[in-house]
Amino acid sequence: MLDAEFFRRWMTATAASVDREAERLTALDSPIGDADHGSNLHRGFTAVVAVLEKEAPDTPGGVLTLAGRQLISTVGGASGPLYGTLLRRTGKALGDAGEVSAEQLTEALRTGVDAVMTLGGAAPGDATMIDALVPAVDALGDSFAAARTAAEEGAVATTPLQARKGRASYVGERSIGHQDPGATSSALLIAALAEAAGE
């Protein structure tokens, strides 16, 4: 079973990963976006870790809901609302339980991903974070490690696609050949989940 401490570990691991990869995320964003994806997420997840240390919710749902709220309030551009919605809706789906199973997390995360698709209007194949998140959730039923691999493969698979949603869609065919920064940061989020689980 997964408790609040597990979810705090997940957010802390995500923040550390974003810190390490911020320059790469911004480099990926530079030719097709506003060149701020790494710095925006770094600011957001640093704020998440700070607020979780201060408030320390005692349920998995509470941790993710607070993290999502913090991202929405501190991250500019589209990534704040999208990541914030992902975590908030996942947290709300987990409810008030003190512990949740991996199966419950999988279903809750699916609810969160569906909410992101509704908010951003993106579907698999549009070269967005959805291309990493959907396969990750599908693989999470097998293991956390399988979810990490699926997310990483999904992010790489955005490279030959033409972006149809988000900031990258504005550059049209010039988005082809560039790995989507949102899918890449989503893969970091899922990799941090596997790290928190010790996989």
Side-chain angles (χ1 to χ4, degrees), residues 98-169:
E99 292 183 328
V100 298
S101 65
E103 292 75 22
Q104 287 170 310
L105 173 57
T106 301
E107 288 313 305
L109 200 52
R110 196 180 300 281
T111 300
V113 172
D114 286 345
V116 172
M117 285 199 274
T118 300
L119 177 64
D126 286 342
T128 70
M129 63 196 293
I130 296 303
D131 288 300
L133 291 173
V134 167
V137 172
D138 288 344
L140 195 53
D142 296 327
S143 69
F144 290 103
R148 177 182 59 219
T149 300
E152 289 167 353
E153 289 174 352
V156 171
T158 62
T159 305
L161 300 177
Q162 179 172 336
R164 291 198 288 263
K165 292 290 175 185
R167 181 71 180 76
S169 66

Side-chain angles (χ1 to χ4, degrees), residues 11-130:
M11 293 298 101
T12 302
T14 301
S17 182
V18 167
D19 183 41
R20 285 193 305 271
E21 299 287 339
E23 287 186 15
R24 182 169 77 102
L25 293 174
T26 292
L28 288 172
D29 194 32
S30 187
I32 55 173
D34 295 325
D36 60 0
H37 189 62
S39 55
N40 279 346
L41 283 187
H42 181 258
R43 182 171 66 250
F45 278 101
T46 299
V48 165
V49 170
V51 77
L52 287 176
E53 285 175 356
K54 194 169 69 182
E55 297 192 26
D58 58 1
T59 64
V63 171
L64 293 187
T65 303
L66 179 58
R69 276 208 314 269
Q70 191 68 15
L71 288 174
I72 289 170
S73 66
T74 55
V75 180
S79 50
L82 291 168
Y83 273 104
T85 295
L86 174 67
L87 296 181
R88 271 182 64 193
R89 290 300 290 273
T90 301
K92 285 203 164 88
L94 290 174
D96 298 325
E99 292 183 328
V100 298
S101 65
E103 292 75 22
Q104 287 170 310
L105 173 57
T106 301
E107 288 313 305
L109 200 52
R110 196 180 300 281
T111 300
V113 172
D114 286 345
V116 172
M117 285 199 274
T118 300
L119 177 64
D126 286 342
T128 70
M129 63 196 293
I130 296 303

